Amino acid sequence: MKQPVFNFSPGPAVLPHAVLEQAKAELLDWHGSGMSVMEMSHRGREFMSIAAQAEADLRTLMQIPQNYKVLFLQGGAHSQFAMIPMNLARGKSQADYLDTGDWSLKAIEEGRRYLDLNVVASSAASHYTTIPPLATWQLNPAAAYLHYTSNETIRGVEFDWIPELGDLPLVVDMSSDILSRPIEVSRFGLIYAGAQKNIGPAGLTIVIVREDLLGQVMEGTPSMFNYQLYAETESMYNTPPTYAWYLAGLVFQWLLQQGGLEAMAQINQRKASKLYAAIDQSDFYHNPVDPDCRSWMNLPFTLANPKLEQRFLDEAAQVGLVTLKGHRLVGGMRASLYNAMPEEGVDALIAFMRDFEAKHG
Ligand code: PMP
């Protein structure tokens, strides 16, 4: 029996219960094949059909145009921090990066190993509680692309808009908000996301890239880091993470059944709004993020009395509300409300927070 908890983990994170049930039912014998998906050759007919269906469903969900390749990779978002400069510099030596927090900084740190990076703007001075307005970005005309992070998982800062930068290819780390709302894929050169938040289990990384940006990889790039090789082989250049790919496919089907990304966006907005309202209505809890940039996915908050934090976590866990501890860089609490977090989980958290405040406030 799955324990009846609500898991607010930032990732790996909660998966839809129905998906886990289906995976369980199909674990030993997938569709009468007599095999588990884990046991299948990635080049066999069965797995090829699973892989193709997953890609088709993702294309439907995100309305991905035909001139974009969808790549199913490994190595997490961290590998993308290097693969992006190696593949997208296209003969240039410079790139633009926006700094909105800890994950932006990680991308910048790694990107600097390959290119001259220009940080177009930073919200470090505000302790990363806001997004610098587009009009203040100092763009470099020689940049090969601009990189930003659409949702900063640690401090809960999220874009609800897409920068308009003309022909400069936009590259976005959507690890923690992909599939949470509809986005216009054609506005981007490349979108990437580790799977372990809104897609499926860890081990799979998805890249959606405009075809014309491929094929000019930096000299010395390892084959495993060359997008072109995955694009030419249906992401089967080497053995892909087959089981994670299959589970991602089940999540895509589940999302389609929920009504797609429009429906998810409505639910996600409602879940986040009620938790922010509960935080803002009290002097006991606090969230420092500019209301225009507050994340629907990751909601950090602190207690007026930090000495009560451990007690909060312990008492929450006792009523089945788990993994609420904030990131070690910022402390406090963080509730991650990915697609698979049911609304009842958010309601239960809010009810617990009110009780806790009444007892200790
Ligand atoms: N970018 C963002 C926005 C993230 O939230 C994370 C993981 N928390 C990463 C990158 C790093 O992902 P990975 O561990 O898959 O490399």
mmCIF file of all heavy atoms in Angstrom, residues 163-192:
data_model
loop_
_atom_site.group_PDB
_atom_site.id
_atom_site.type_symbol
_atom_site.label_atom_id
_atom_site.label_comp_id
_atom_site.label_asym_id
_atom_site.label_seq_id
_atom_site.Cartn_x
_atom_site.Cartn_y
_atom_site.Cartn_z
ATOM 1 N N PRO A 163 10.599 36.462 -22.846
ATOM 2 C CA PRO A 163 11.310 37.641 -23.364
ATOM 3 C C PRO A 163 11.233 37.710 -24.895
ATOM 4 O O PRO A 163 11.374 36.690 -25.565
ATOM 5 C CB PRO A 163 12.759 37.422 -22.904
ATOM 6 C CG PRO A 163 12.689 36.394 -21.825
ATOM 7 C CD PRO A 163 11.477 35.561 -22.078
ATOM 8 N N GLU A 164 11.037 38.913 -25.402
ATOM 9 C CA GLU A 164 10.998 39.111 -26.867
ATOM 10 C C GLU A 164 12.333 39.727 -27.276
ATOM 11 O O GLU A 164 12.611 40.875 -26.951
ATOM 12 C CB GLU A 164 9.824 40.050 -27.195
ATOM 13 C CG GLU A 164 9.688 40.401 -28.659
ATOM 14 C CD GLU A 164 9.661 39.189 -29.565
ATOM 15 O OE1 GLU A 164 8.702 38.411 -29.461
ATOM 16 O OE2 GLU A 164 10.601 39.018 -30.372
ATOM 17 N N LEU A 165 13.161 38.929 -27.956
ATOM 18 C CA LEU A 165 14.507 39.398 -28.280
ATOM 19 C C LEU A 165 14.829 39.262 -29.766
ATOM 20 O O LEU A 165 15.974 39.022 -30.150
ATOM 21 C CB LEU A 165 15.544 38.623 -27.445
ATOM 22 C CG LEU A 165 15.441 38.811 -25.926
ATOM 23 C CD1 LEU A 165 16.393 37.896 -25.199
ATOM 24 C CD2 LEU A 165 15.709 40.265 -25.542
ATOM 25 N N GLY A 166 13.819 39.369 -30.581
ATOM 26 C CA GLY A 166 14.055 39.314 -32.029
ATOM 27 C C GLY A 166 14.614 37.966 -32.450
ATOM 28 O O GLY A 166 14.093 36.930 -32.052
ATOM 29 N N ASP A 167 15.710 38.010 -33.229
ATOM 30 C CA ASP A 167 16.258 36.769 -33.789
ATOM 31 C C ASP A 167 17.193 36.021 -32.852
ATOM 32 O O ASP A 167 17.659 34.939 -33.178
ATOM 33 C CB ASP A 167 17.050 37.087 -35.072
ATOM 34 C CG ASP A 167 16.112 37.507 -36.191
ATOM 35 O OD1 ASP A 167 14.904 37.177 -36.102
ATOM 36 O OD2 ASP A 167 16.587 38.171 -37.140
ATOM 37 N N LEU A 168 17.526 36.618 -31.719
ATOM 38 C CA LEU A 168 18.462 35.953 -30.807
ATOM 39 C C LEU A 168 17.808 34.685 -30.245
ATOM 40 O O LEU A 168 16.742 34.764 -29.623
ATOM 41 C CB LEU A 168 18.797 36.917 -29.656
ATOM 42 C CG LEU A 168 19.826 36.430 -28.631
ATOM 43 C CD1 LEU A 168 21.196 36.253 -29.267
ATOM 44 C CD2 LEU A 168 19.903 37.408 -27.467
ATOM 45 N N PRO A 169 18.394 33.499 -30.479
ATOM 46 C CA PRO A 169 17.743 32.289 -29.969
ATOM 47 C C PRO A 169 17.636 32.304 -28.439
ATOM 48 O O PRO A 169 18.604 32.583 -27.746
ATOM 49 C CB PRO A 169 18.668 31.153 -30.437
ATOM 50 C CG PRO A 169 19.411 31.716 -31.598
ATOM 51 C CD PRO A 169 19.590 33.190 -31.295
ATOM 52 N N LEU A 170 16.442 32.013 -27.969
ATOM 53 C CA LEU A 170 16.188 31.947 -26.521
ATOM 54 C C LEU A 170 16.377 30.508 -26.067
ATOM 55 O O LEU A 170 15.795 29.595 -26.661
ATOM 56 C CB LEU A 170 14.731 32.300 -26.233
ATOM 57 C CG LEU A 170 14.310 33.703 -25.921
ATOM 58 C CD1 LEU A 170 12.840 33.706 -25.516
ATOM 59 C CD2 LEU A 170 15.169 34.295 -24.815
ATOM 60 N N VAL A 171 17.135 30.333 -25.002
ATOM 61 C CA VAL A 171 17.369 28.999 -24.440
ATOM 62 C C VAL A 171 16.852 29.026 -23.011
ATOM 63 O O VAL A 171 17.205 29.932 -22.251
ATOM 64 C CB VAL A 171 18.882 28.673 -24.456
ATOM 65 C CG1 VAL A 171 19.154 27.361 -23.742
ATOM 66 C CG2 VAL A 171 19.391 28.631 -25.888
ATOM 67 N N VAL A 172 16.014 28.069 -22.655
ATOM 68 C CA VAL A 172 15.399 28.151 -21.335
ATOM 69 C C VAL A 172 15.507 26.842 -20.562
ATOM 70 O O VAL A 172 15.271 25.761 -21.103
ATOM 71 C CB VAL A 172 13.931 28.616 -21.445
ATOM 72 C CG1 VAL A 172 13.060 27.611 -22.189
ATOM 73 C CG2 VAL A 172 13.334 28.913 -20.079
ATOM 74 N N ASP A 173 15.879 26.970 -19.293
ATOM 75 C CA ASP A 173 15.853 25.849 -18.362
ATOM 76 C C ASP A 173 14.446 25.795 -17.757
ATOM 77 O O ASP A 173 14.095 26.620 -16.921
ATOM 78 C CB ASP A 173 16.917 26.068 -17.272
ATOM 79 C CG ASP A 173 16.922 24.957 -16.222
ATOM 80 O OD1 ASP A 173 16.048 24.068 -16.276
ATOM 81 O OD2 ASP A 173 17.812 24.986 -15.344
ATOM 82 N N MET A 174 13.650 24.831 -18.210
ATOM 83 C CA MET A 174 12.279 24.678 -17.703
ATOM 84 C C MET A 174 12.164 23.464 -16.795
ATOM 85 O O MET A 174 11.088 22.860 -16.693
ATOM 86 C CB MET A 174 11.292 24.508 -18.867
ATOM 87 C CG MET A 174 10.790 25.796 -19.433
ATOM 88 S SD MET A 174 9.389 25.528 -20.542
ATOM 89 C CE MET A 174 9.428 27.095 -21.385
ATOM 90 N N SER A 175 13.274 23.091 -16.143
ATOM 91 C CA SER A 175 13.273 21.856 -15.352
ATOM 92 C C SER A 175 12.113 21.781 -14.379
ATOM 93 O O SER A 175 11.538 20.726 -14.174
ATOM 94 C CB SER A 175 14.581 21.729 -14.562
ATOM 95 O OG SER A 175 15.652 21.499 -15.434
ATOM 96 N N SER A 176 11.776 22.922 -13.741
ATOM 97 C CA SER A 176 10.774 22.811 -12.689
ATOM 98 C C SER A 176 9.430 23.433 -13.040
ATOM 99 O O SER A 176 8.557 23.502 -12.188
ATOM 100 C CB SER A 176 11.315 23.385 -11.372
ATOM 101 O OG SER A 176 11.870 24.654 -11.571
ATOM 102 N N ASP A 177 9.234 23.862 -14.311
ATOM 103 C CA ASP A 177 7.870 24.289 -14.640
ATOM 104 C C ASP A 177 7.368 23.836 -16.003
ATOM 105 O O ASP A 177 6.255 24.209 -16.403
ATOM 106 C CB ASP A 177 7.661 25.802 -14.429
ATOM 107 C CG ASP A 177 8.462 26.676 -15.362
ATOM 108 O OD1 ASP A 177 9.348 26.152 -16.056
ATOM 109 O OD2 ASP A 177 8.196 27.898 -15.385
ATOM 110 N N ILE A 178 8.144 22.987 -16.669
ATOM 111 C CA ILE A 178 7.648 22.450 -17.945
ATOM 112 C C ILE A 178 6.317 21.733 -17.701
ATOM 113 O O ILE A 178 6.110 21.150 -16.633
ATOM 114 C CB ILE A 178 8.700 21.500 -18.583
ATOM 115 C CG1 ILE A 178 8.341 21.203 -20.038
ATOM 116 C CG2 ILE A 178 8.876 20.220 -17.754
ATOM 117 C CD1 ILE A 178 9.467 20.558 -20.829
ATOM 118 N N LEU A 179 5.403 21.832 -18.627
ATOM 119 C CA LEU A 179 4.098 21.140 -18.584
ATOM 120 C C LEU A 179 3.147 21.664 -17.510
ATOM 121 O O LEU A 179 2.086 21.090 -17.282
ATOM 122 C CB LEU A 179 4.273 19.613 -18.401
ATOM 123 C CG LEU A 179 5.041 18.879 -19.502
ATOM 124 C CD1 LEU A 179 5.277 17.417 -19.109
ATOM 125 C CD2 LEU A 179 4.305 18.947 -20.830
ATOM 126 N N SER A 180 3.527 22.759 -16.849
ATOM 127 C CA SER A 180 2.641 23.286 -15.800
ATOM 128 C C SER A 180 1.632 24.273 -16.361
ATOM 129 O O SER A 180 0.674 24.628 -15.696
ATOM 130 C CB SER A 180 3.458 23.974 -14.708
ATOM 131 O OG SER A 180 4.121 25.108 -15.234
ATOM 132 N N ARG A 181 1.863 24.734 -17.595
ATOM 133 C CA ARG A 181 0.975 25.700 -18.250
ATOM 134 C C ARG A 181 1.345 25.674 -19.731
ATOM 135 O O ARG A 181 2.433 25.239 -20.100
ATOM 136 C CB ARG A 181 1.166 27.106 -17.668
ATOM 137 C CG ARG A 181 2.566 27.639 -17.817
ATOM 138 C CD ARG A 181 2.684 29.102 -17.387
ATOM 139 N NE ARG A 181 3.030 29.255 -15.973
ATOM 140 C CZ ARG A 181 2.938 30.404 -15.313
ATOM 141 N NH1 ARG A 181 2.491 31.479 -15.921
ATOM 142 N NH2 ARG A 181 3.289 30.494 -14.036
ATOM 143 N N PRO A 182 0.467 26.152 -20.608
ATOM 144 C CA PRO A 182 0.828 26.168 -22.035
ATOM 145 C C PRO A 182 1.935 27.198 -22.278
ATOM 146 O O PRO A 182 1.949 28.240 -21.633
ATOM 147 C CB PRO A 182 -0.468 26.619 -22.735
ATOM 148 C CG PRO A 182 -1.547 26.568 -21.702
ATOM 149 C CD PRO A 182 -0.887 26.677 -20.368
ATOM 150 N N ILE A 183 2.858 26.888 -23.182
ATOM 151 C CA ILE A 183 3.839 27.903 -23.599
ATOM 152 C C ILE A 183 3.986 27.816 -25.122
ATOM 153 O O ILE A 183 3.745 26.760 -25.710
ATOM 154 C CB ILE A 183 5.228 27.731 -22.943
ATOM 155 C CG1 ILE A 183 5.726 26.307 -23.111
ATOM 156 C CG2 ILE A 183 5.286 28.175 -21.511
ATOM 157 C CD1 ILE A 183 7.075 26.274 -23.715
ATOM 158 N N GLU A 184 4.428 28.923 -25.700
ATOM 159 C CA GLU A 184 4.555 28.982 -27.152
ATOM 160 C C GLU A 184 5.948 28.502 -27.525
ATOM 161 O O GLU A 184 6.921 29.266 -27.452
ATOM 162 C CB GLU A 184 4.380 30.449 -27.549
ATOM 163 C CG GLU A 184 3.647 30.687 -28.813
ATOM 164 C CD GLU A 184 3.548 32.188 -29.054
ATOM 165 O OE1 GLU A 184 3.291 32.944 -28.086
ATOM 166 O OE2 GLU A 184 3.753 32.608 -30.193
ATOM 167 N N VAL A 185 6.071 27.251 -27.922
ATOM 168 C CA VAL A 185 7.381 26.653 -28.194
ATOM 169 C C VAL A 185 8.120 27.419 -29.296
ATOM 170 O O VAL A 185 9.347 27.579 -29.235
ATOM 171 C CB VAL A 185 7.210 25.156 -28.575
ATOM 172 C CG1 VAL A 185 8.537 24.548 -29.006
ATOM 173 C CG2 VAL A 185 6.619 24.373 -27.400
ATOM 174 N N SER A 186 7.379 27.944 -30.271
ATOM 175 C CA SER A 186 8.042 28.592 -31.413
ATOM 176 C C SER A 186 8.805 29.859 -31.020
ATOM 177 O O SER A 186 9.579 30.385 -31.809
ATOM 178 C CB SER A 186 7.019 28.925 -32.498
ATOM 179 O OG SER A 186 6.108 29.875 -31.983
ATOM 180 N N ARG A 187 8.613 30.338 -29.791
ATOM 181 C CA ARG A 187 9.372 31.512 -29.341
ATOM 182 C C ARG A 187 10.791 31.144 -28.901
ATOM 183 O O ARG A 187 11.618 32.010 -28.644
ATOM 184 C CB ARG A 187 8.654 32.178 -28.160
ATOM 185 C CG ARG A 187 7.227 32.622 -28.463
ATOM 186 C CD ARG A 187 7.179 34.000 -29.094
ATOM 187 N NE ARG A 187 7.742 35.036 -28.260
ATOM 188 C CZ ARG A 187 7.091 35.684 -27.288
ATOM 189 N NH1 ARG A 187 5.840 35.405 -27.058
ATOM 190 N NH2 ARG A 187 7.698 36.628 -26.590
ATOM 191 N N PHE A 188 11.081 29.844 -28.806
ATOM 192 C CA PHE A 188 12.357 29.404 -28.238
ATOM 193 C C PHE A 188 13.266 28.744 -29.273
ATOM 194 O O PHE A 188 12.784 28.123 -30.222
ATOM 195 C CB PHE A 188 12.102 28.390 -27.115
ATOM 196 C CG PHE A 188 11.385 28.992 -25.939
ATOM 197 C CD1 PHE A 188 10.008 28.941 -25.848
ATOM 198 C CD2 PHE A 188 12.092 29.649 -24.937
ATOM 199 C CE1 PHE A 188 9.332 29.513 -24.781
ATOM 200 C CE2 PHE A 188 11.425 30.239 -23.866
ATOM 201 C CZ PHE A 188 10.051 30.173 -23.789
ATOM 202 N N GLY A 189 14.577 28.883 -29.033
ATOM 203 C CA GLY A 189 15.537 28.085 -29.798
ATOM 204 C C GLY A 189 15.645 26.705 -29.179
ATOM 205 O O GLY A 189 15.677 25.689 -29.878
ATOM 206 N N LEU A 190 15.686 26.680 -27.844
ATOM 207 C CA LEU A 190 15.850 25.396 -27.147
ATOM 208 C C LEU A 190 15.211 25.466 -25.759
ATOM 209 O O LEU A 190 15.355 26.459 -25.043
ATOM 210 C CB LEU A 190 17.344 25.066 -27.023
ATOM 211 C CG LEU A 190 17.709 23.696 -26.433
ATOM 212 C CD1 LEU A 190 18.982 23.156 -27.077
ATOM 213 C CD2 LEU A 190 17.852 23.705 -24.929
ATOM 214 N N ILE A 191 14.484 24.395 -25.437
ATOM 215 C CA ILE A 191 13.876 24.236 -24.110
ATOM 216 C C ILE A 191 14.452 22.955 -23.519
ATOM 217 O O ILE A 191 14.517 21.942 -24.219
ATOM 218 C CB ILE A 191 12.345 24.080 -24.246
ATOM 219 C CG1 ILE A 191 11.711 25.354 -24.829
ATOM 220 C CG2 ILE A 191 11.700 23.697 -22.917
ATOM 221 C CD1 ILE A 191 10.245 25.175 -25.244
ATOM 222 N N TYR A 192 14.867 22.994 -22.253
ATOM 223 C CA TYR A 192 15.334 21.736 -21.655
ATOM 224 C C TYR A 192 14.782 21.578 -20.250
ATOM 225 O O TYR A 192 14.426 22.563 -19.585
ATOM 226 C CB TYR A 192 16.860 21.623 -21.653
ATOM 227 C CG TYR A 192 17.608 22.603 -20.770
ATOM 228 C CD1 TYR A 192 18.085 22.217 -19.509
ATOM 229 C CD2 TYR A 192 17.882 23.902 -21.194
ATOM 230 C CE1 TYR A 192 18.804 23.097 -18.710
ATOM 231 C CE2 TYR A 192 18.598 24.786 -20.397
ATOM 232 C CZ TYR A 192 19.050 24.383 -19.162
ATOM 233 O OH TYR A 192 19.764 25.252 -18.374
#
